[in-house]
Amino acid sequence: MNDFARESLSYFGMYSKMLRTKKIFVPERASFGNDKDQHFLYYAPDPEKGAAARSKTIFWVHGGGWNAGTPAFFDFVGQRIAGEGYPFISLGYRLSPKNKYPRQIEDVCAGYKAALAFLRGKGNGSPRIVLSGSSAGAHLSSILCYGKKVQDEYGVDISDLIGYVGIGGPYCLDGDPGWVLRTLLKQLFEPGYDRTTGDPRLLMEKNSIPMLLIQSEHDGLIDYSCVTRMAEKAASLGNKCELYPVTGRHDTHSWYTAGMFLETRAENATLDKFFSWIENL
């Protein structure tokens, strides 16, 4: 069976696990714009977990092909991360095809700034932030983290960032990305739009924030060369980058970019890598 077919067949098992997820943490919602998708959810962590986890805050940008998904839909991610003891911010953004790029990165930048102010309003004046995103969210969050031109354009200060984790991201928009991604990109960009201004690999500049790139050779939607080219660009700039190849039966796109948060660290080696890498920052 090819990887795309395995990806398609994985949805039932993932959704059935989503329906069984216990909602222990009740998130706080905050808006940063007039559109319903311009908001974030804040999950306060499990108070019984260690202070080391609580000293870092995880910001996460959801996936969904830029055209679907909300922080509420990915509540299970917040439940898992808050359950591990981390304060968690789940950022939303306006979706395509109604909203064309750069609306998405505008919202991610605005949401990041609003969430920082929100945390400081809760008395966390110097948050140590790990920025992460999956799939389309990895595309957007990697631009926020490593795209100096974008940071300057939208007035983003990344001095509180201590690490970045990208999961299953489409980091390279040039060449032939395959028919699935090609279709999604047609919805994301206006015809004739200069896609180099939304390409994470091309926008990346040198900085000191270490990155972990989690990707599978059997993704089913995104070619593995996308992440190897991103890692090569990081190395050429002297940016610290670790590439973690996903293995095992849950190595298709949706399972490892989001579904891993439906399992425990003992059950899922990729999830354990996600947390252990953050713990060691």
Side-chain angles (χ1 to χ4, degrees):
M1 185 184 301
N2 67 38
D3 293 328
F4 177 75
R6 291 178 61 237
E7 160 70 6
S8 301
L9 291 172
S10 72
Y11 300 149
F12 176 78
M14 200 173 92
Y15 288 143
S16 65
K17 281 201 169 194
M18 285 174 60
L19 293 174
R20 298 196 302 271
T21 300
K22 294 181 179 178
K23 297 183 182 296
I24 298 170
F25 303 95
V26 179
E28 185 175 348
R29 189 182 192 277
S31 296
F32 57 86
N34 295 325
D35 190 276
K36 63 180 178 59
D37 290 322
Q38 292 174 308
H39 71 275
F40 60 83
L41 298 180
Y42 169 72
Y43 293 75
D46 186 339
E48 296 184 1
K49 294 292 183 177
R54 291 194 298 273
S55 71
K56 299 166 186 169
T57 299
I58 297 178
F59 276 44
W60 194 72
V61 184
H62 70 77
W66 302 280
N67 65 10
T70 64
F73 179 83
F74 290 98
D75 174 75
F76 61 92
V77 180
Q79 298 294 330
R80 173 61 63 207
I81 292 177
E84 289 290 325
Y86 293 93
F88 180 67
I89 296 281
S90 182
L91 286 172
Y93 50 90
R94 286 170 290 177
L95 302 172
S96 70
K98 178 182 178 180
N99 298 286
K100 300 298 186 181
Y101 193 88
R103 297 291 180 263
Q104 292 73 25
I105 194 62
E106 288 175 1
D107 287 353
V108 168
C109 289
Y112 179 79
K113 293 192 291 183
L116 276 180
F118 175 89
L119 289 173
R120 291 182 175 126
K122 289 186 173 293
N124 191 349
S126 300
R128 301 170 67 224
I129 295 170
V130 179
L131 179 63
S132 184
S134 67
S135 194
H139 164 264
L140 296 168
S141 56
S142 62
I143 292 174
L144 169 61
C145 191
Y146 298 102
K148 181 67 165 54
K149 292 179 181 178
V150 172
Q151 295 161 13
D152 291 343
E153 181 176 358
Y154 297 112
V156 176
D157 179 1
I158 61 168
S159 59
D160 291 303
L161 283 174
I162 63 168
Y164 174 76
V165 184
I167 311 168
Y171 306 110
C172 306
L173 306 186
D174 56 345
D176 184 2
W179 73 269
V180 173
L181 188 53
R182 184 166 59 247
T183 300
L184 294 173
L185 291 174
K186 284 182 179 179
Q187 294 180 358
L188 180 64
F189 294 108
E190 291 282 7
Y193 186 86
D194 181 5
R195 295 184 182 184
T196 64
T197 64
D199 188 307
R201 183 181 66 90
L202 297 178
L203 289 170
M204 186 194 302
E205 296 189 31
K206 182 176 177 58
N207 75 22
S208 61
I209 301 168
M211 70 169 73
L212 171 65
L213 299 179
I214 297 173
Q215 206 95 0
S216 171
E217 293 188 60
H218 299 283
D219 182 289
L221 298 182
I222 297 175
D223 192 85
Y224 195 68
S225 64
C226 193
V227 73
T228 57
R229 294 172 68 201
M230 184 70 163
E232 288 166 0
K233 176 66 178 291
S236 73
L237 294 170
N239 292 347
K240 187 175 181 180
C241 175
E242 179 181 352
L243 175 54
Y244 177 83
V246 178
T247 59
R249 63 190 182 93
H250 286 165
D251 61 356
T252 52
H253 186 81
S254 294
W255 257 118
Y256 79 89
T257 60
M260 69 175 181
F261 294 101
L262 293 164
E263 300 185 312
T264 66
R265 294 178 68 169
E267 292 172 323
N268 192 298
T270 305
L271 182 66
D272 186 61
K273 177 64 179 182
F274 175 87
F275 284 120
S276 63
W277 190 87
I278 292 172
E279 288 163 0
N280 290 324
L281 284 174

